[in-house]
Amino acid sequence: TLGLRHDDPNDFDSETTYRASLSYQLSEKSRINLSHGTGFKAPSLFNLIGFTPTNFGTAFSGNPNLKPETSKDWEINLSNTFWQDKVSTKISYFESDIEDLIVTVFLPSFDSTTINRDEANIQGVESSIQVVVSEQLDFNLSHTFTSAKDENDQLLLRRPKHKASAQLSYSPLTALNLNATLLHIGSWKDIDGAGTRTDMGSYTTLNLAANYRVNSQVSLFTRIDNISDKTYEPAFGFQGLGTSFYVGIALQHR
């Protein structure tokens, strides 16, 4: 497959990007996929002219001199099935080189703004396995390792090296599905209240969900996130939600 895209923003030069991908069936149970592409991202209005004061007498101010981000990326992955298609695995390697990456930085005054980083490199490995235990029960396990660094070989902010999840899905009835998800976010770098780089700890949450299909048009769902009421910060100074309960109804017209 081959795709082309042309962007022509008012305030920046136009840019044409592309993506090409190839998929090849190695055997009845194995397939390899290759992809390569380029990207373009113009700064948002908030990046350029946004203004947000804080409770500490400082403020975020946009940077009208920002340049758009451009990138080149590629990915290769291999997928396999085993044991009468009851086990599926996939492993991927990805890499992206970004020029003029838009990031937020803190000034000596503790005010913040957006700037362009000359270069950034993001690469990593993503792996997953799905096991179909029975018609009613299946298990999914996934892990992503990411190395994200700027031109000074410093880790990019708020990009954890490790992310992992384990999900158990059970359908005791045709219309009812229950699932539990254990989500782990590894440690990462952030900026503290003094504007210096700091290490943020990892955290793990357990989420439960249920979905009941009343008929072909109506479904009821409920979800409990962070059931253990884990205390964590998804970003420095921002408290993550404690135990949260959701319930709703989904309607589909045919």
Side-chain angles (χ1 to χ4, degrees):
T1 63
L2 177 65
L4 293 173
R5 170 176 170 144
H6 182 75
D7 287 272
D8 189 17
N10 289 337
D11 299 327
F12 302 99
D13 293 336
S14 62
E15 186 82 16
T16 299
T17 54
Y18 66 87
R19 176 160 297 278
S21 61
L22 171 69
S23 180
Y24 183 72
Q25 192 78 32
L26 297 172
S27 68
E28 184 180 354
K29 302 293 185 179
S30 300
R31 175 176 287 275
I32 189 170
N33 301 284
L34 303 165
S35 66
H36 170 67
T38 58
F40 170 82
K41 179 184 177 182
S44 68
L45 286 176
F46 186 75
N47 291 149
L48 293 167
I49 59 174
F51 180 82
T52 304
T54 71
N55 294 331
F56 306 102
T58 60
F60 167 86
S61 299
N63 178 3
N65 297 316
L66 285 175
K67 296 181 288 186
E69 292 180 3
T70 57
S71 63
K72 294 180 180 179
D73 62 83
W74 64 276
E75 179 179 347
I76 179 172
N77 65 67
L78 179 66
S79 56
N80 294 277
T81 58
F82 308 93
W83 294 329
Q84 298 178 334
D85 297 338
K86 291 183 177 181
V87 177
S88 302
T89 62
K90 183 177 181 180
I91 184 167
S92 306
Y93 175 82
F94 58 88
E95 183 168 355
S96 181
D97 292 308
I98 305 171
E99 294 186 4
D100 298 318
L101 177 69
I102 298 172
V103 297
T104 300
V105 296
F106 284 84
L107 306 175
S109 61
F110 301 126
D111 295 306
S112 59
T113 187
T114 46
I115 66 169
N116 290 109
R117 292 290 188 197
D118 290 340
E119 296 178 2
N121 176 266
I122 301 173
Q123 56 184 313
V125 177
E126 184 176 45
S127 54
S128 64
I129 181 170
Q130 179 185 30
V131 181
V132 179
V133 182
S134 67
E135 292 184 1
Q136 293 79 32
L137 182 66
D138 64 78
F139 177 75
N140 291 271
L141 185 66
S142 65
H143 174 263
T144 302
F145 168 80
T146 304
S147 173
K149 297 182 179 181
D150 63 17
E151 70 274 13
N152 298 317
D153 207 33
Q154 282 192 322
L155 294 174
L156 297 179
L157 301 180
R158 299 180 183 176
R159 297 176 185 263
K161 280 189 175 182
H162 298 277
K163 289 184 179 180
S165 68
Q167 184 181 69
L168 188 66
S169 180
Y170 178 55
S171 299
L173 304 172
T174 303
L176 177 64
N177 176 260
L178 309 172
N179 69 72
T181 303
L182 190 67
L183 176 65
H184 175 77
I185 304 296
S187 59
W188 73 98
K189 291 286 186 179
D190 208 339
I191 295 292
D192 63 17
T196 57
R197 294 172 68 91
T198 185
D199 291 316
M200 300 292 292
S202 61
Y203 63 90
T204 303
T205 59
L206 175 62
N207 308 317
L208 303 178
N211 185 86
Y212 181 72
R213 190 173 68 253
V214 179
N215 53 45
S216 60
Q217 295 179 314
V218 180
S219 295
L220 305 176
F221 62 88
T222 184
R223 189 174 87 245
I224 305 175
D225 288 346
N226 193 9
I227 194 171
S228 61
D229 203 25
K230 174 71 174 180
T231 299
Y232 67 95
E233 291 184 1
F236 184 88
F238 291 86
Q239 181 65 51
L241 288 176
T243 301
S244 307
F245 178 74
Y246 305 86
V247 64
I249 182 172
L251 304 176
Q252 182 178 3
H253 177 69
R254 294 182 178 178

PDB file of all heavy atoms in Angstrom, residues 35-57:
ATOM      1  N   SER A  35       6.830  -1.138   7.229  1.00  0.00           N
ATOM      2  CA  SER A  35       6.258   0.148   6.863  1.00  0.00           C
ATOM      3  C   SER A  35       7.281   1.254   7.052  1.00  0.00           C
ATOM      4  O   SER A  35       8.161   1.177   7.914  1.00  0.00           O
ATOM      5  CB  SER A  35       5.000   0.449   7.692  1.00  0.00           C
ATOM      6  OG  SER A  35       5.311   0.617   9.055  1.00  0.00           O
ATOM      7  N   HIS A  36       7.163   2.275   6.230  1.00  0.00           N
ATOM      8  CA  HIS A  36       8.039   3.441   6.320  1.00  0.00           C
ATOM      9  C   HIS A  36       7.220   4.654   5.905  1.00  0.00           C
ATOM     10  O   HIS A  36       6.387   4.591   4.998  1.00  0.00           O
ATOM     11  CB  HIS A  36       9.254   3.289   5.402  1.00  0.00           C
ATOM     12  CG  HIS A  36      10.056   4.550   5.270  1.00  0.00           C
ATOM     13  ND1 HIS A  36      10.758   5.097   6.330  1.00  0.00           N
ATOM     14  CD2 HIS A  36      10.242   5.388   4.219  1.00  0.00           C
ATOM     15  CE1 HIS A  36      11.356   6.205   5.933  1.00  0.00           C
ATOM     16  NE2 HIS A  36      11.066   6.398   4.657  1.00  0.00           N
ATOM     17  N   GLY A  37       7.464   5.782   6.589  1.00  0.00           N
ATOM     18  CA  GLY A  37       6.701   6.971   6.247  1.00  0.00           C
ATOM     19  C   GLY A  37       7.333   8.233   6.795  1.00  0.00           C
ATOM     20  O   GLY A  37       8.326   8.207   7.529  1.00  0.00           O
ATOM     21  N   THR A  38       6.759   9.351   6.401  1.00  0.00           N
ATOM     22  CA  THR A  38       7.168  10.658   6.897  1.00  0.00           C
ATOM     23  C   THR A  38       5.961  11.345   7.529  1.00  0.00           C
ATOM     24  O   THR A  38       4.815  10.965   7.272  1.00  0.00           O
ATOM     25  CB  THR A  38       7.733  11.530   5.762  1.00  0.00           C
ATOM     26  OG1 THR A  38       6.730  11.670   4.738  1.00  0.00           O
ATOM     27  CG2 THR A  38       8.979  10.895   5.166  1.00  0.00           C
ATOM     28  N   GLY A  39       6.234  12.349   8.365  1.00  0.00           N
ATOM     29  CA  GLY A  39       5.149  13.032   9.053  1.00  0.00           C
ATOM     30  C   GLY A  39       5.377  14.533   9.121  1.00  0.00           C
ATOM     31  O   GLY A  39       6.499  15.025   8.984  1.00  0.00           O
ATOM     32  N   PHE A  40       4.297  15.268   9.339  1.00  0.00           N
ATOM     33  CA  PHE A  40       4.324  16.720   9.435  1.00  0.00           C
ATOM     34  C   PHE A  40       3.279  17.140  10.454  1.00  0.00           C
ATOM     35  O   PHE A  40       2.146  16.659  10.430  1.00  0.00           O
ATOM     36  CB  PHE A  40       4.015  17.349   8.067  1.00  0.00           C
ATOM     37  CG  PHE A  40       3.788  18.839   8.105  1.00  0.00           C
ATOM     38  CD1 PHE A  40       4.855  19.712   8.101  1.00  0.00           C
ATOM     39  CD2 PHE A  40       2.501  19.360   8.148  1.00  0.00           C
ATOM     40  CE1 PHE A  40       4.651  21.090   8.133  1.00  0.00           C
ATOM     41  CE2 PHE A  40       2.287  20.733   8.184  1.00  0.00           C
ATOM     42  CZ  PHE A  40       3.364  21.599   8.167  1.00  0.00           C
ATOM     43  N   LYS A  41       3.671  18.018  11.383  1.00  0.00           N
ATOM     44  CA  LYS A  41       2.747  18.486  12.413  1.00  0.00           C
ATOM     45  C   LYS A  41       2.979  19.963  12.663  1.00  0.00           C
ATOM     46  O   LYS A  41       4.024  20.368  13.171  1.00  0.00           O
ATOM     47  CB  LYS A  41       2.947  17.691  13.708  1.00  0.00           C
ATOM     48  CG  LYS A  41       2.037  18.138  14.852  1.00  0.00           C
ATOM     49  CD  LYS A  41       2.350  17.370  16.118  1.00  0.00           C
ATOM     50  CE  LYS A  41       1.496  17.855  17.286  1.00  0.00           C
ATOM     51  NZ  LYS A  41       1.845  17.130  18.546  1.00  0.00           N
ATOM     52  N   ALA A  42       2.010  20.791  12.293  1.00  0.00           N
ATOM     53  CA  ALA A  42       2.114  22.224  12.536  1.00  0.00           C
ATOM     54  C   ALA A  42       1.802  22.528  13.998  1.00  0.00           C
ATOM     55  O   ALA A  42       1.012  21.821  14.636  1.00  0.00           O
ATOM     56  CB  ALA A  42       1.147  22.980  11.622  1.00  0.00           C
ATOM     57  N   PRO A  43       2.402  23.563  14.574  1.00  0.00           N
ATOM     58  CA  PRO A  43       2.081  23.932  15.957  1.00  0.00           C
ATOM     59  C   PRO A  43       0.610  24.299  16.101  1.00  0.00           C
ATOM     60  O   PRO A  43       0.014  24.881  15.187  1.00  0.00           O
ATOM     61  CB  PRO A  43       2.982  25.147  16.217  1.00  0.00           C
ATOM     62  CG  PRO A  43       4.035  25.102  15.168  1.00  0.00           C
ATOM     63  CD  PRO A  43       3.423  24.445  13.984  1.00  0.00           C
ATOM     64  N   SER A  44       0.037  23.958  17.250  1.00  0.00           N
ATOM     65  CA  SER A  44      -1.349  24.327  17.513  1.00  0.00           C
ATOM     66  C   SER A  44      -1.431  25.804  17.897  1.00  0.00           C
ATOM     67  O   SER A  44      -0.420  26.446  18.214  1.00  0.00           O
ATOM     68  CB  SER A  44      -1.920  23.474  18.639  1.00  0.00           C
ATOM     69  OG  SER A  44      -1.288  23.809  19.878  1.00  0.00           O
ATOM     70  N   LEU A  45      -2.631  26.365  17.893  1.00  0.00           N
ATOM     71  CA  LEU A  45      -2.810  27.746  18.317  1.00  0.00           C
ATOM     72  C   LEU A  45      -2.332  27.943  19.755  1.00  0.00           C
ATOM     73  O   LEU A  45      -1.743  28.974  20.098  1.00  0.00           O
ATOM     74  CB  LEU A  45      -4.282  28.155  18.189  1.00  0.00           C
ATOM     75  CG  LEU A  45      -4.799  28.401  16.766  1.00  0.00           C
ATOM     76  CD1 LEU A  45      -6.298  28.687  16.799  1.00  0.00           C
ATOM     77  CD2 LEU A  45      -4.053  29.549  16.111  1.00  0.00           C
ATOM     78  N   PHE A  46      -2.569  26.939  20.618  1.00  0.00           N
ATOM     79  CA  PHE A  46      -2.138  27.052  22.010  1.00  0.00           C
ATOM     80  C   PHE A  46      -0.619  27.053  22.099  1.00  0.00           C
ATOM     81  O   PHE A  46      -0.031  27.791  22.887  1.00  0.00           O
ATOM     82  CB  PHE A  46      -2.724  25.908  22.834  1.00  0.00           C
ATOM     83  CG  PHE A  46      -2.439  26.029  24.307  1.00  0.00           C
ATOM     84  CD1 PHE A  46      -3.133  26.940  25.083  1.00  0.00           C
ATOM     85  CD2 PHE A  46      -1.472  25.244  24.916  1.00  0.00           C
ATOM     86  CE1 PHE A  46      -2.868  27.072  26.448  1.00  0.00           C
ATOM     87  CE2 PHE A  46      -1.202  25.358  26.263  1.00  0.00           C
ATOM     88  CZ  PHE A  46      -1.903  26.284  27.033  1.00  0.00           C
ATOM     89  N   ASN A  47       0.046  26.198  21.281  1.00  0.00           N
ATOM     90  CA  ASN A  47       1.511  26.199  21.242  1.00  0.00           C
ATOM     91  C   ASN A  47       2.042  27.576  20.854  1.00  0.00           C
ATOM     92  O   ASN A  47       3.067  28.026  21.376  1.00  0.00           O
ATOM     93  CB  ASN A  47       2.028  25.183  20.231  1.00  0.00           C
ATOM     94  CG  ASN A  47       1.788  23.748  20.626  1.00  0.00           C
ATOM     95  OD1 ASN A  47       1.607  22.887  19.774  1.00  0.00           O
ATOM     96  ND2 ASN A  47       1.757  23.455  21.912  1.00  0.00           N
ATOM     97  N   LEU A  48       1.344  28.253  19.940  1.00  0.00           N
ATOM     98  CA  LEU A  48       1.836  29.513  19.387  1.00  0.00           C
ATOM     99  C   LEU A  48       1.501  30.725  20.253  1.00  0.00           C
ATOM    100  O   LEU A  48       2.368  31.565  20.513  1.00  0.00           O
ATOM    101  CB  LEU A  48       1.257  29.718  17.982  1.00  0.00           C
ATOM    102  CG  LEU A  48       1.715  28.735  16.900  1.00  0.00           C
ATOM    103  CD1 LEU A  48       0.827  28.860  15.674  1.00  0.00           C
ATOM    104  CD2 LEU A  48       3.169  28.984  16.528  1.00  0.00           C
ATOM    105  N   ILE A  49       0.257  30.834  20.702  1.00  0.00           N
ATOM    106  CA  ILE A  49      -0.180  32.073  21.366  1.00  0.00           C
ATOM    107  C   ILE A  49      -0.944  31.813  22.660  1.00  0.00           C
ATOM    108  O   ILE A  49      -1.544  32.734  23.219  1.00  0.00           O
ATOM    109  CB  ILE A  49      -1.054  32.930  20.423  1.00  0.00           C
ATOM    110  CG1 ILE A  49      -2.297  32.125  19.984  1.00  0.00           C
ATOM    111  CG2 ILE A  49      -0.252  33.382  19.204  1.00  0.00           C
ATOM    112  CD1 ILE A  49      -3.289  32.943  19.175  1.00  0.00           C
ATOM    113  N   GLY A  50      -0.932  30.569  23.149  1.00  0.00           N
ATOM    114  CA  GLY A  50      -1.673  30.263  24.365  1.00  0.00           C
ATOM    115  C   GLY A  50      -1.114  30.986  25.584  1.00  0.00           C
ATOM    116  O   GLY A  50       0.066  31.355  25.630  1.00  0.00           O
ATOM    117  N   PHE A  51      -1.974  31.187  26.573  1.00  0.00           N
ATOM    118  CA  PHE A  51      -1.541  31.803  27.838  1.00  0.00           C
ATOM    119  C   PHE A  51      -2.363  31.204  28.964  1.00  0.00           C
ATOM    120  O   PHE A  51      -3.592  31.240  28.942  1.00  0.00           O
ATOM    121  CB  PHE A  51      -1.726  33.317  27.799  1.00  0.00           C
ATOM    122  CG  PHE A  51      -1.297  33.984  29.092  1.00  0.00           C
ATOM    123  CD1 PHE A  51       0.036  34.261  29.335  1.00  0.00           C
ATOM    124  CD2 PHE A  51      -2.231  34.310  30.055  1.00  0.00           C
ATOM    125  CE1 PHE A  51       0.439  34.867  30.520  1.00  0.00           C
ATOM    126  CE2 PHE A  51      -1.847  34.920  31.252  1.00  0.00           C
ATOM    127  CZ  PHE A  51      -0.505  35.199  31.481  1.00  0.00           C
ATOM    128  N   THR A  52      -1.681  30.640  29.963  1.00  0.00           N
ATOM    129  CA  THR A  52      -2.359  30.041  31.115  1.00  0.00           C
ATOM    130  C   THR A  52      -1.605  30.384  32.392  1.00  0.00           C
ATOM    131  O   THR A  52      -0.489  29.904  32.605  1.00  0.00           O
ATOM    132  CB  THR A  52      -2.434  28.509  30.970  1.00  0.00           C
ATOM    133  OG1 THR A  52      -3.082  28.173  29.747  1.00  0.00           O
ATOM    134  CG2 THR A  52      -3.228  27.908  32.130  1.00  0.00           C
ATOM    135  N   PRO A  53      -2.181  31.235  33.263  1.00  0.00           N
ATOM    136  CA  PRO A  53      -1.524  31.523  34.545  1.00  0.00           C
ATOM    137  C   PRO A  53      -1.673  30.343  35.499  1.00  0.00           C
ATOM    138  O   PRO A  53      -2.578  29.521  35.362  1.00  0.00           O
ATOM    139  CB  PRO A  53      -2.284  32.748  35.063  1.00  0.00           C
ATOM    140  CG  PRO A  53      -3.635  32.646  34.421  1.00  0.00           C
ATOM    141  CD  PRO A  53      -3.419  31.996  33.082  1.00  0.00           C
ATOM    142  N   THR A  54      -0.743  30.245  36.466  1.00  0.00           N
ATOM    143  CA  THR A  54      -0.804  29.186  37.464  1.00  0.00           C
ATOM    144  C   THR A  54      -1.121  29.780  38.830  1.00  0.00           C
ATOM    145  O   THR A  54      -1.175  31.003  39.007  1.00  0.00           O
ATOM    146  CB  THR A  54       0.544  28.437  37.552  1.00  0.00           C
ATOM    147  OG1 THR A  54       1.518  29.304  38.172  1.00  0.00           O
ATOM    148  CG2 THR A  54       1.045  28.038  36.174  1.00  0.00           C
ATOM    149  N   ASN A  55      -1.311  28.914  39.815  1.00  0.00           N
ATOM    150  CA  ASN A  55      -1.585  29.360  41.184  1.00  0.00           C
ATOM    151  C   ASN A  55      -0.333  29.855  41.902  1.00  0.00           C
ATOM    152  O   ASN A  55      -0.404  30.283  43.052  1.00  0.00           O
ATOM    153  CB  ASN A  55      -2.202  28.213  41.994  1.00  0.00           C
ATOM    154  CG  ASN A  55      -3.563  27.821  41.474  1.00  0.00           C
ATOM    155  OD1 ASN A  55      -4.287  28.651  40.925  1.00  0.00           O
ATOM    156  ND2 ASN A  55      -3.929  26.553  41.625  1.00  0.00           N
ATOM    157  N   PHE A  56       0.833  29.763  41.250  1.00  0.00           N
ATOM    158  CA  PHE A  56       2.093  30.142  41.894  1.00  0.00           C
ATOM    159  C   PHE A  56       2.629  31.469  41.365  1.00  0.00           C
ATOM    160  O   PHE A  56       3.778  31.815  41.587  1.00  0.00           O
ATOM    161  CB  PHE A  56       3.127  29.037  41.682  1.00  0.00           C
ATOM    162  CG  PHE A  56       2.662  27.684  42.130  1.00  0.00           C
ATOM    163  CD1 PHE A  56       2.225  26.748  41.209  1.00  0.00           C
ATOM    164  CD2 PHE A  56       2.635  27.355  43.476  1.00  0.00           C
ATOM    165  CE1 PHE A  56       1.779  25.501  41.620  1.00  0.00           C
ATOM    166  CE2 PHE A  56       2.192  26.118  43.900  1.00  0.00           C
ATOM    167  CZ  PHE A  56       1.762  25.190  42.974  1.00  0.00           C
ATOM    168  N   GLY A  57       1.808  32.220  40.636  1.00  0.00           N
ATOM    169  CA  GLY A  57       2.238  33.507  40.108  1.00  0.00           C
ATOM    170  C   GLY A  57       3.020  33.420  38.819  1.00  0.00           C
ATOM    171  O   GLY A  57       3.555  34.419  38.344  1.00  0.00           O
TER     172      GLY A  57
END
